[in-house]
Amino acid sequence: MKVYGITGWKNSGKTGLVERLVTEFVSRGLTVSTVKHAHHVTDIDQPGRDSHRHRMAGATEVVLSTPLRWALMHELRGAEEPSMEELLAKLSPVDLVLVEGYKREAHPKIEAHRRATGRPLLQPEDPAIRAVASDTALEGLPVPLFHLDDTRGIADFILRDLGY
């Protein structure tokens, strides 16, 4: 599986870009999965649901299966968060995995950047960032610059960078 990341500060446009890229790659016939890293505690389950009750009772893993999808929830229960590589190994094979977040990992990435965040670019400090997608013109970048909404151009760049 090929892996490519979308990184950037909070509210920089990462999720929207990932969403558009998934749609673009799927329309080109690729199979795509995503990995999203969140720094905050979040729960994908709902209190009162059977699966939530199983987890709260102490189950380490709960598989929820429906006619449309299945999900595996794994409780860390104090164990260390798995690495990105460990999580990638759990995925079924696909052509491309898009990773949102994991800004400190060494996989190839595009940085999403919005001027309104007021945050500096990550690119100067991260050699794994191969391009920047921004809503504003940025001068003197040592990597390609795309408009944040240029989904097709960004997708073309990612595929070329991965050797497709």
Short mmCIF file of all heavy atoms in Angstrom, two decimals, residues 1-8 12-19 21-22 25 31-39 81-89 91 94-112 122 126 128-129 154 158 162:
data_model
loop_
_atom_site.label_atom_id
_atom_site.label_comp_id
_atom_site.label_asym_id
_atom_site.label_seq_id
_atom_site.Cartn_x
_atom_site.Cartn_y
_atom_site.Cartn_z
N MET A 1 0.84 -1.19 0.00
CA MET A 1 0.00 0.00 0.00
C MET A 1 0.88 1.24 0.00
O MET A 1 1.87 1.30 0.71
CB MET A 1 -0.88 0.03 1.25
CG MET A 1 -1.97 -1.00 1.27
SD MET A 1 -3.18 -0.82 2.61
CE MET A 1 -2.16 -0.87 4.06
N LYS A 2 0.47 2.20 -0.77
CA LYS A 2 1.15 3.49 -0.79
C LYS A 2 0.49 4.39 0.25
O LYS A 2 -0.73 4.34 0.45
CB LYS A 2 1.03 4.14 -2.16
CG LYS A 2 1.49 3.28 -3.30
CD LYS A 2 2.95 3.44 -3.55
CE LYS A 2 3.32 2.65 -4.80
NZ LYS A 2 4.58 3.03 -5.33
N VAL A 3 1.29 5.21 0.91
CA VAL A 3 0.81 6.08 1.99
C VAL A 3 1.21 7.52 1.67
O VAL A 3 2.36 7.77 1.30
CB VAL A 3 1.40 5.66 3.35
CG1 VAL A 3 0.99 6.62 4.45
CG2 VAL A 3 1.00 4.23 3.69
N TYR A 4 0.25 8.44 1.83
CA TYR A 4 0.54 9.85 1.63
C TYR A 4 -0.24 10.64 2.66
O TYR A 4 -1.39 10.32 2.94
CB TYR A 4 0.14 10.31 0.22
CG TYR A 4 1.10 11.32 -0.35
CD1 TYR A 4 2.16 10.92 -1.14
CD2 TYR A 4 0.95 12.67 -0.08
CE1 TYR A 4 3.05 11.84 -1.66
CE2 TYR A 4 1.84 13.60 -0.59
CZ TYR A 4 2.90 13.17 -1.37
OH TYR A 4 3.78 14.09 -1.87
N GLY A 5 0.38 11.65 3.21
CA GLY A 5 -0.24 12.40 4.29
C GLY A 5 -0.69 13.79 3.90
O GLY A 5 -0.15 14.41 2.98
N ILE A 6 -1.69 14.26 4.63
CA ILE A 6 -2.12 15.65 4.57
C ILE A 6 -1.95 16.17 5.99
O ILE A 6 -2.55 15.64 6.94
CB ILE A 6 -3.60 15.79 4.13
CG1 ILE A 6 -3.84 15.07 2.80
CG2 ILE A 6 -3.99 17.26 4.08
CD1 ILE A 6 -3.02 15.57 1.64
N THR A 7 -1.12 17.17 6.15
CA THR A 7 -0.80 17.67 7.47
C THR A 7 -1.05 19.17 7.52
O THR A 7 -1.29 19.81 6.50
CB THR A 7 0.66 17.32 7.85
OG1 THR A 7 0.86 17.54 9.23
CG2 THR A 7 1.66 18.11 7.03
N GLY A 8 -0.97 19.72 8.70
CA GLY A 8 -1.16 21.16 8.86
C GLY A 8 -1.73 21.45 10.23
O GLY A 8 -2.10 20.54 10.97
N SER A 12 -6.75 24.27 9.11
CA SER A 12 -6.00 24.64 7.91
C SER A 12 -6.60 24.06 6.64
O SER A 12 -6.10 24.36 5.55
CB SER A 12 -4.55 24.17 8.05
OG SER A 12 -4.49 22.75 8.13
N GLY A 13 -7.64 23.25 6.75
CA GLY A 13 -8.28 22.69 5.56
C GLY A 13 -7.93 21.24 5.28
O GLY A 13 -8.22 20.74 4.20
N LYS A 14 -7.32 20.57 6.24
CA LYS A 14 -6.90 19.18 6.05
C LYS A 14 -8.06 18.25 5.72
O LYS A 14 -8.02 17.51 4.74
CB LYS A 14 -6.18 18.64 7.30
CG LYS A 14 -4.93 19.36 7.69
CD LYS A 14 -4.28 18.74 8.91
CE LYS A 14 -5.14 18.69 10.13
NZ LYS A 14 -5.44 19.97 10.77
N THR A 15 -9.10 18.28 6.54
CA THR A 15 -10.20 17.34 6.38
C THR A 15 -10.92 17.53 5.05
O THR A 15 -11.21 16.56 4.34
CB THR A 15 -11.19 17.44 7.56
OG1 THR A 15 -10.48 17.16 8.77
CG2 THR A 15 -12.34 16.46 7.40
N GLY A 16 -11.19 18.77 4.68
CA GLY A 16 -11.83 19.03 3.40
C GLY A 16 -10.98 18.55 2.24
O GLY A 16 -11.49 17.97 1.27
N LEU A 17 -9.66 18.77 2.32
CA LEU A 17 -8.76 18.32 1.27
C LEU A 17 -8.75 16.80 1.19
O LEU A 17 -8.83 16.22 0.10
CB LEU A 17 -7.35 18.89 1.48
CG LEU A 17 -6.31 18.49 0.44
CD1 LEU A 17 -6.76 18.83 -0.98
CD2 LEU A 17 -4.97 19.14 0.76
N VAL A 18 -8.66 16.13 2.33
CA VAL A 18 -8.67 14.66 2.32
C VAL A 18 -9.97 14.16 1.70
O VAL A 18 -9.97 13.25 0.85
CB VAL A 18 -8.47 14.08 3.74
CG1 VAL A 18 -8.76 12.58 3.77
CG2 VAL A 18 -7.07 14.36 4.25
N GLU A 19 -11.08 14.74 2.10
CA GLU A 19 -12.38 14.33 1.57
C GLU A 19 -12.42 14.47 0.04
O GLU A 19 -12.85 13.55 -0.68
CB GLU A 19 -13.48 15.17 2.21
CG GLU A 19 -14.87 14.82 1.77
CD GLU A 19 -15.93 15.68 2.43
OE1 GLU A 19 -15.59 16.70 3.08
OE2 GLU A 19 -17.11 15.34 2.29
N LEU A 21 -9.84 14.62 -2.00
CA LEU A 21 -8.87 13.71 -2.61
C LEU A 21 -9.40 12.28 -2.65
O LEU A 21 -9.19 11.57 -3.65
CB LEU A 21 -7.54 13.76 -1.86
CG LEU A 21 -6.69 15.01 -2.09
CD1 LEU A 21 -5.52 15.05 -1.12
CD2 LEU A 21 -6.20 15.08 -3.54
N VAL A 22 -10.08 11.83 -1.60
CA VAL A 22 -10.67 10.49 -1.63
C VAL A 22 -11.62 10.38 -2.81
O VAL A 22 -11.56 9.44 -3.61
CB VAL A 22 -11.38 10.15 -0.30
CG1 VAL A 22 -12.22 8.88 -0.44
CG2 VAL A 22 -10.38 9.99 0.84
N PHE A 25 -9.56 10.32 -6.14
CA PHE A 25 -8.84 9.07 -6.39
C PHE A 25 -9.81 7.92 -6.69
O PHE A 25 -9.56 7.11 -7.58
CB PHE A 25 -7.93 8.72 -5.21
CG PHE A 25 -6.74 9.61 -5.08
CD1 PHE A 25 -6.41 10.18 -3.86
CD2 PHE A 25 -5.93 9.90 -6.17
CE1 PHE A 25 -5.30 11.00 -3.72
CE2 PHE A 25 -4.82 10.73 -6.05
CZ PHE A 25 -4.50 11.28 -4.82
N THR A 31 -8.51 2.26 -5.07
CA THR A 31 -9.10 1.97 -3.77
C THR A 31 -8.34 2.78 -2.74
O THR A 31 -7.11 2.87 -2.78
CB THR A 31 -9.04 0.47 -3.42
OG1 THR A 31 -7.68 0.02 -3.50
CG2 THR A 31 -9.91 -0.34 -4.36
N VAL A 32 -9.08 3.42 -1.83
CA VAL A 32 -8.48 4.37 -0.89
C VAL A 32 -9.02 4.11 0.51
O VAL A 32 -10.21 3.88 0.70
CB VAL A 32 -8.82 5.83 -1.30
CG1 VAL A 32 -8.17 6.83 -0.33
CG2 VAL A 32 -8.40 6.12 -2.73
N SER A 33 -8.13 4.14 1.48
CA SER A 33 -8.51 4.15 2.89
C SER A 33 -7.89 5.38 3.53
O SER A 33 -6.99 6.01 2.96
CB SER A 33 -8.02 2.89 3.61
OG SER A 33 -8.72 1.75 3.16
N THR A 34 -8.37 5.73 4.71
CA THR A 34 -7.83 6.89 5.42
C THR A 34 -7.50 6.53 6.85
O THR A 34 -8.11 5.63 7.44
CB THR A 34 -8.81 8.09 5.42
OG1 THR A 34 -9.98 7.72 6.15
CG2 THR A 34 -9.18 8.51 4.02
N VAL A 35 -6.54 7.23 7.40
CA VAL A 35 -6.21 7.17 8.82
C VAL A 35 -6.23 8.61 9.31
O VAL A 35 -5.58 9.48 8.72
CB VAL A 35 -4.81 6.55 9.06
CG1 VAL A 35 -4.41 6.66 10.52
CG2 VAL A 35 -4.78 5.10 8.60
N LYS A 36 -6.98 8.86 10.37
CA LYS A 36 -7.09 10.20 10.95
C LYS A 36 -6.54 10.17 12.35
O LYS A 36 -6.96 9.36 13.17
CB LYS A 36 -8.58 10.62 10.96
CG LYS A 36 -8.95 11.76 11.89
CD LYS A 36 -8.41 13.08 11.42
CE LYS A 36 -8.91 14.19 12.36
NZ LYS A 36 -8.12 15.36 12.31
N HIS A 37 -5.58 11.04 12.63
CA HIS A 37 -5.02 11.13 13.98
C HIS A 37 -5.62 12.34 14.68
O HIS A 37 -5.63 13.44 14.14
CB HIS A 37 -3.51 11.28 13.94
CG HIS A 37 -2.89 11.23 15.29
ND1 HIS A 37 -2.37 12.34 15.91
CD2 HIS A 37 -2.73 10.21 16.15
CE1 HIS A 37 -1.91 11.99 17.09
NE2 HIS A 37 -2.12 10.71 17.27
N ALA A 38 -6.15 12.11 15.86
CA ALA A 38 -6.73 13.20 16.66
C ALA A 38 -5.93 13.31 17.96
O ALA A 38 -5.62 12.31 18.58
CB ALA A 38 -8.19 12.91 16.97
N HIS A 39 -5.63 14.53 18.33
CA HIS A 39 -4.89 14.77 19.58
C HIS A 39 -5.81 14.79 20.78
O HIS A 39 -5.37 14.64 21.91
CB HIS A 39 -4.11 16.08 19.50
CG HIS A 39 -2.98 16.02 18.55
ND1 HIS A 39 -1.81 15.38 18.82
CD2 HIS A 39 -2.85 16.50 17.29
CE1 HIS A 39 -1.00 15.46 17.79
NE2 HIS A 39 -1.62 16.15 16.84
N GLU A 81 -0.55 4.52 22.92
CA GLU A 81 -1.21 4.66 21.63
C GLU A 81 -0.37 3.98 20.55
O GLU A 81 0.85 4.17 20.51
CB GLU A 81 -1.39 6.14 21.30
CG GLU A 81 -2.07 6.40 19.99
CD GLU A 81 -2.22 7.89 19.67
OE1 GLU A 81 -1.78 8.73 20.47
OE2 GLU A 81 -2.77 8.19 18.61
N PRO A 82 -0.98 3.19 19.66
CA PRO A 82 -0.18 2.54 18.61
C PRO A 82 0.40 3.56 17.65
O PRO A 82 -0.17 4.63 17.44
CB PRO A 82 -1.18 1.62 17.90
CG PRO A 82 -2.52 1.99 18.39
CD PRO A 82 -2.38 2.85 19.60
N SER A 83 1.52 3.20 17.06
CA SER A 83 2.16 4.07 16.08
C SER A 83 1.35 4.07 14.78
O SER A 83 0.51 3.20 14.56
CB SER A 83 3.58 3.58 15.78
OG SER A 83 3.51 2.35 15.08
N MET A 84 1.64 5.02 13.93
CA MET A 84 0.99 5.08 12.64
C MET A 84 1.25 3.79 11.87
O MET A 84 0.35 3.22 11.25
CB MET A 84 1.48 6.28 11.84
CG MET A 84 0.73 6.48 10.53
SD MET A 84 1.36 7.85 9.53
CE MET A 84 2.75 7.06 8.74
N GLU A 85 2.47 3.30 11.90
CA GLU A 85 2.83 2.06 11.20
C GLU A 85 2.02 0.88 11.72
O GLU A 85 1.56 0.04 10.93
CB GLU A 85 4.33 1.78 11.32
CG GLU A 85 5.19 2.76 10.56
CD GLU A 85 4.94 2.75 9.06
OE1 GLU A 85 4.68 1.67 8.48
OE2 GLU A 85 4.99 3.83 8.45
N GLU A 86 1.85 0.79 13.03
CA GLU A 86 1.05 -0.30 13.59
C GLU A 86 -0.40 -0.22 13.12
O GLU A 86 -1.03 -1.25 12.83
CB GLU A 86 1.12 -0.28 15.12
CG GLU A 86 2.48 -0.67 15.66
CD GLU A 86 2.63 -0.40 17.14
OE1 GLU A 86 2.22 0.69 17.61
OE2 GLU A 86 3.17 -1.28 17.84
N LEU A 87 -0.94 0.98 13.05
CA LEU A 87 -2.32 1.14 12.59
C LEU A 87 -2.44 0.82 11.10
O LEU A 87 -3.41 0.17 10.67
CB LEU A 87 -2.81 2.55 12.87
CG LEU A 87 -2.96 2.89 14.35
CD1 LEU A 87 -3.29 4.36 14.52
CD2 LEU A 87 -4.01 2.02 15.01
N LEU A 88 -1.47 1.24 10.30
CA LEU A 88 -1.50 0.94 8.87
C LEU A 88 -1.49 -0.57 8.63
O LEU A 88 -2.16 -1.06 7.72
CB LEU A 88 -0.31 1.59 8.15
CG LEU A 88 -0.37 3.11 8.03
CD1 LEU A 88 0.97 3.65 7.52
CD2 LEU A 88 -1.50 3.56 7.13
N ALA A 89 -0.77 -1.31 9.47
CA ALA A 89 -0.69 -2.77 9.33
C ALA A 89 -2.04 -3.44 9.58
O ALA A 89 -2.26 -4.57 9.15
CB ALA A 89 0.37 -3.32 10.27
N LEU A 91 -4.92 -2.29 8.42
CA LEU A 91 -5.83 -2.01 7.32
C LEU A 91 -5.82 -3.13 6.28
O LEU A 91 -4.79 -3.76 6.04
CB LEU A 91 -5.44 -0.70 6.63
CG LEU A 91 -5.61 0.58 7.42
CD1 LEU A 91 -5.08 1.76 6.62
CD2 LEU A 91 -7.06 0.80 7.79
N VAL A 94 -5.22 -1.71 0.07
CA VAL A 94 -5.82 -0.78 -0.89
C VAL A 94 -4.69 -0.19 -1.71
O VAL A 94 -3.51 -0.39 -1.41
CB VAL A 94 -6.61 0.35 -0.18
CG1 VAL A 94 -7.85 -0.18 0.50
CG2 VAL A 94 -5.73 1.12 0.79
N ASP A 95 -5.05 0.58 -2.74
CA ASP A 95 -4.03 1.24 -3.55
C ASP A 95 -3.34 2.37 -2.80
O ASP A 95 -2.13 2.57 -2.94
CB ASP A 95 -4.66 1.81 -4.83
CG ASP A 95 -5.24 0.74 -5.72
OD1 ASP A 95 -4.60 -0.31 -5.91
OD2 ASP A 95 -6.37 0.94 -6.23
N LEU A 96 -4.12 3.12 -2.03
CA LEU A 96 -3.59 4.33 -1.39
C LEU A 96 -4.24 4.56 -0.04
O LEU A 96 -5.46 4.45 0.09
CB LEU A 96 -3.85 5.54 -2.29
CG LEU A 96 -3.46 6.92 -1.78
CD1 LEU A 96 -1.97 7.02 -1.53
CD2 LEU A 96 -3.91 8.00 -2.77
N VAL A 97 -3.42 4.88 0.96
CA VAL A 97 -3.93 5.30 2.26
C VAL A 97 -3.57 6.77 2.43
O VAL A 97 -2.40 7.14 2.34
CB VAL A 97 -3.32 4.48 3.42
CG1 VAL A 97 -3.83 4.99 4.76
CG2 VAL A 97 -3.60 3.00 3.26
N LEU A 98 -4.59 7.59 2.65
CA LEU A 98 -4.36 9.00 2.96
C LEU A 98 -4.39 9.16 4.47
O LEU A 98 -5.32 8.70 5.13
CB LEU A 98 -5.44 9.87 2.32
CG LEU A 98 -5.40 9.96 0.80
CD1 LEU A 98 -6.59 10.77 0.28
CD2 LEU A 98 -4.09 10.58 0.32
N VAL A 99 -3.37 9.79 5.00
CA VAL A 99 -3.22 9.97 6.44
C VAL A 99 -3.42 11.43 6.76
O VAL A 99 -2.71 12.29 6.24
CB VAL A 99 -1.82 9.51 6.91
CG1 VAL A 99 -1.63 9.79 8.39
CG2 VAL A 99 -1.61 8.03 6.60
N GLU A 100 -4.39 11.72 7.63
CA GLU A 100 -4.61 13.09 8.08
C GLU A 100 -4.03 13.24 9.47
O GLU A 100 -4.37 12.50 10.39
CB GLU A 100 -6.11 13.42 8.11
CG GLU A 100 -6.35 14.85 8.53
CD GLU A 100 -7.82 15.23 8.57
OE1 GLU A 100 -8.65 14.56 7.93
OE2 GLU A 100 -8.14 16.22 9.26
N GLY A 101 -3.16 14.21 9.62
CA GLY A 101 -2.49 14.41 10.91
C GLY A 101 -1.12 13.77 10.88
O GLY A 101 -0.47 13.72 9.85
N TYR A 102 -0.70 13.26 12.03
CA TYR A 102 0.63 12.65 12.17
C TYR A 102 1.70 13.55 11.57
O TYR A 102 2.55 13.12 10.80
CB TYR A 102 0.67 11.26 11.52
CG TYR A 102 -0.04 10.20 12.34
CD1 TYR A 102 -1.29 9.75 11.98
CD2 TYR A 102 0.57 9.68 13.47
CE1 TYR A 102 -1.94 8.78 12.72
CE2 TYR A 102 -0.07 8.70 14.22
CZ TYR A 102 -1.33 8.26 13.84
OH TYR A 102 -1.95 7.30 14.58
N LYS A 103 1.66 14.82 11.96
CA LYS A 103 2.57 15.79 11.36
C LYS A 103 4.03 15.56 11.69
O LYS A 103 4.90 16.09 11.02
CB LYS A 103 2.13 17.22 11.68
CG LYS A 103 2.24 17.64 13.11
CD LYS A 103 1.95 19.13 13.31
CE LYS A 103 0.54 19.49 13.25
NZ LYS A 103 -0.20 19.75 14.42
N ARG A 104 4.34 14.76 12.69
CA ARG A 104 5.74 14.52 13.05
C ARG A 104 6.31 13.24 12.43
O ARG A 104 7.48 12.94 12.60
CB ARG A 104 5.89 14.45 14.58
CG ARG A 104 5.36 15.66 15.32
CD ARG A 104 6.23 16.88 15.12
NE ARG A 104 5.67 18.02 15.86
CZ ARG A 104 5.48 19.20 15.32
NH1 ARG A 104 5.79 19.43 14.08
NH2 ARG A 104 4.97 20.18 16.04
N GLU A 105 5.49 12.49 11.70
CA GLU A 105 5.95 11.24 11.08
C GLU A 105 6.67 11.55 9.77
O GLU A 105 6.53 12.63 9.20
CB GLU A 105 4.76 10.31 10.82
CG GLU A 105 4.03 9.89 12.08
CD GLU A 105 4.84 9.00 13.00
OE1 GLU A 105 5.65 8.20 12.50
OE2 GLU A 105 4.66 9.11 14.22
N ALA A 106 7.44 10.58 9.27
CA ALA A 106 8.32 10.81 8.13
C ALA A 106 7.73 10.42 6.78
O ALA A 106 8.42 10.48 5.77
CB ALA A 106 9.63 10.05 8.33
N HIS A 107 6.46 10.03 6.70
CA HIS A 107 5.85 9.68 5.41
C HIS A 107 5.70 10.94 4.55
O HIS A 107 5.66 12.05 5.07
CB HIS A 107 4.49 9.00 5.63
CG HIS A 107 3.50 9.85 6.35
ND1 HIS A 107 3.60 10.16 7.68
CD2 HIS A 107 2.38 10.48 5.90
CE1 HIS A 107 2.60 10.93 8.03
NE2 HIS A 107 1.85 11.15 6.98
N PRO A 108 5.63 10.77 3.22
CA PRO A 108 5.46 11.95 2.36
C PRO A 108 4.13 12.63 2.64
O PRO A 108 3.11 11.97 2.86
CB PRO A 108 5.53 11.39 0.94
CG PRO A 108 5.22 9.94 1.07
CD PRO A 108 5.65 9.53 2.45
N LYS A 109 4.17 13.98 2.63
CA LYS A 109 2.99 14.75 3.01
C LYS A 109 2.86 16.01 2.16
O LYS A 109 3.84 16.53 1.65
CB LYS A 109 3.10 15.22 4.48
CG LYS A 109 3.23 14.14 5.51
CD LYS A 109 3.35 14.72 6.90
CE LYS A 109 4.72 15.07 7.32
NZ LYS A 109 5.54 14.09 7.94
N ILE A 110 1.62 16.48 2.12
CA ILE A 110 1.31 17.81 1.61
C ILE A 110 0.81 18.61 2.80
O ILE A 110 0.00 18.11 3.59
CB ILE A 110 0.26 17.78 0.50
CG1 ILE A 110 0.89 17.18 -0.75
CG2 ILE A 110 -0.31 19.16 0.23
CD1 ILE A 110 -0.02 17.13 -1.95
N GLU A 111 1.29 19.83 2.93
CA GLU A 111 0.82 20.68 4.03
C GLU A 111 -0.35 21.53 3.56
O GLU A 111 -0.26 22.25 2.57
CB GLU A 111 1.94 21.60 4.51
CG GLU A 111 1.49 22.52 5.63
CD GLU A 111 2.58 23.39 6.21
OE1 GLU A 111 3.75 23.28 5.78
OE2 GLU A 111 2.26 24.20 7.11
N ALA A 112 -1.46 21.42 4.30
CA ALA A 112 -2.60 22.31 4.08
C ALA A 112 -2.35 23.57 4.92
O ALA A 112 -1.96 23.48 6.08
CB ALA A 112 -3.89 21.63 4.49
N LEU A 122 4.69 24.57 8.40
CA LEU A 122 5.47 23.45 8.96
C LEU A 122 6.60 23.06 8.01
O LEU A 122 7.62 22.53 8.43
CB LEU A 122 4.56 22.23 9.16
CG LEU A 122 3.41 22.38 10.15
CD1 LEU A 122 2.43 21.22 9.99
CD2 LEU A 122 3.95 22.43 11.56
N ASP A 126 10.17 20.41 8.08
CA ASP A 126 9.80 19.02 7.82
C ASP A 126 10.15 18.64 6.39
O ASP A 126 9.42 18.96 5.45
CB ASP A 126 8.30 18.81 8.08
CG ASP A 126 7.88 17.36 7.97
OD1 ASP A 126 8.68 16.52 7.49
OD2 ASP A 126 6.74 17.06 8.36
N ALA A 128 9.76 15.93 4.95
CA ALA A 128 8.79 14.99 4.38
C ALA A 128 7.64 15.72 3.69
O ALA A 128 6.85 15.09 2.98
CB ALA A 128 8.25 14.06 5.47
N ILE A 129 7.52 17.03 3.90
CA ILE A 129 6.48 17.80 3.23
C ILE A 129 6.96 18.09 1.81
O ILE A 129 7.93 18.80 1.60
CB ILE A 129 6.14 19.10 3.99
CG1 ILE A 129 5.49 18.73 5.33
CG2 ILE A 129 5.22 20.00 3.16
CD1 ILE A 129 5.21 19.91 6.25
N ILE A 154 -3.46 18.57 -7.10
CA ILE A 154 -2.84 17.94 -5.93
C ILE A 154 -2.85 16.43 -6.09
O ILE A 154 -1.85 15.75 -5.81
CB ILE A 154 -3.56 18.38 -4.64
CG1 ILE A 154 -3.35 19.89 -4.41
CG2 ILE A 154 -3.06 17.58 -3.43
CD1 ILE A 154 -4.26 20.50 -3.35
N ILE A 158 0.41 13.95 -6.16
CA ILE A 158 0.57 12.81 -5.25
C ILE A 158 0.84 11.53 -6.03
O ILE A 158 1.76 10.77 -5.71
CB ILE A 158 -0.68 12.65 -4.33
CG1 ILE A 158 -0.73 13.79 -3.31
CG2 ILE A 158 -0.66 11.29 -3.62
CD1 ILE A 158 -2.02 13.84 -2.51
N LEU A 162 4.26 9.31 -5.93
CA LEU A 162 4.23 7.90 -5.50
C LEU A 162 4.63 6.94 -6.63
O LEU A 162 4.67 5.73 -6.42
CB LEU A 162 2.85 7.55 -4.97
CG LEU A 162 2.48 8.19 -3.64
CD1 LEU A 162 1.02 7.90 -3.31
CD2 LEU A 162 3.40 7.72 -2.52
#
